[in-house]
């Protein structure tokens, strides 16, 4: 819905952190503090916002066009997408986490995962980048998993 996307984009613009990204406010897209219907992350310089959804999909929105720029899948994951995180160092790389325990690395130039990280034994609840080639994910299994990646050249 373009009206909801526009409202979300305006909200994101108000959350800029000065590093080209957004502060994680813990609020959900379309909910602003209500039940976690969606998760989001984005970069102003690229005008792209990534969202994860209960319908198992991961979408990238172009805020300049008010529409979906890219959808992964038919379903990117086998469960609710609980976390998304853009790489601050590589504009095309995106992480996602899911209730099925999986954590995936995506290259937005493709619609299939570039890599699947070691899964959690319960729900994967969040994901984040640490530097250029390290990622962390937290899960309902009480584990914080940190993985090193060997990324292909850009």
């Amino acid at each position: 819905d373009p009206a909801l996307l526009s409202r979300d984009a305006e909200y994101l613009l108000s959350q800029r952190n000065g590093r080209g990204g957004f502060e994680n406010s813990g609020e959900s897209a379309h909910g602003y503090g209500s039940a976690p219907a969606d998760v989001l992350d984005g970069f102003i310089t690229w005008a792209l916002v990534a969202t994860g959804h209960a319908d198992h999909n991961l979408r990238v929105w172009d805020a300049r066009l008010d529409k979906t720029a890219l959808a992964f899948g038919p379903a990117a994951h086998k469960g609710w997408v609980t976390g998304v995180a853009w790489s601050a160092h590589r504009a095309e790389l995106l992480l996602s986490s899911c209730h099925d325990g999986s954590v995936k690395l995506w290259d937005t130039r493709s619609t299939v995962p570039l890599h699947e990280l070691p899964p959690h034994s319960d729900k994967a609840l969040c994901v984040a980048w640490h530097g250029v080639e390290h990622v962390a994910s937290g899960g309902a299994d009480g584990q914080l998993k940190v993985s090193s990646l060997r990324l292909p050249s850009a």
Side-chain angles (χ1 to χ4, degrees):
D1 180 353
L4 290 175
L5 177 60
S6 177
R7 186 183 74 182
D8 291 343
E10 287 175 24
Y11 175 76
L12 283 173
L13 288 169
S14 73
Q15 299 299 305
R16 288 179 283 191
N17 66 12
R19 297 185 311 271
F22 298 94
E23 294 300 332
N24 181 357
S25 65
E27 297 180 7
S28 58
H30 310 310
Y32 302 113
S34 63
D38 298 309
V39 292
L40 57 94
D41 190 22
F43 275 93
I44 289 296
T45 53
W46 306 318
L48 297 177
V49 177
T51 58
H53 302 268
D55 68 359
H56 309 185
N57 283 301
L58 174 63
R59 294 179 181 90
V60 175
W61 303 84
D62 189 327
R64 298 164 298 186
L65 304 175
D66 280 349
K67 68 178 189 175
T68 304
L70 179 64
F72 296 91
H77 285 277
K78 294 178 183 167
W80 192 318
V81 180
T82 56
V84 293
W86 286 104
S87 168
H89 303 280
R90 298 271 303 269
E92 72 279 5
L93 298 181
L94 178 66
L95 292 168
S96 64
S97 60
C98 178
H99 269 191
D100 67 8
S102 67
V103 176
K104 296 181 181 183
L105 172 65
W106 302 87
D107 184 322
T108 58
R109 299 171 294 188
S110 174
T111 57
V112 295
L114 184 62
H115 187 67
E116 279 199 52
L117 294 126
H120 286 268
S121 61
D122 200 346
K123 299 171 185 169
L125 300 174
C126 58
V127 65
W129 289 89
H130 179 68
V132 178
E133 294 186 336
H134 293 88
V135 298
S137 62
D141 56 5
Q143 298 291 309
L144 173 64
K145 295 187 177 230
V146 179
S147 300
S148 295
L149 303 172
R150 291 186 58 89
L151 299 174
S153 58

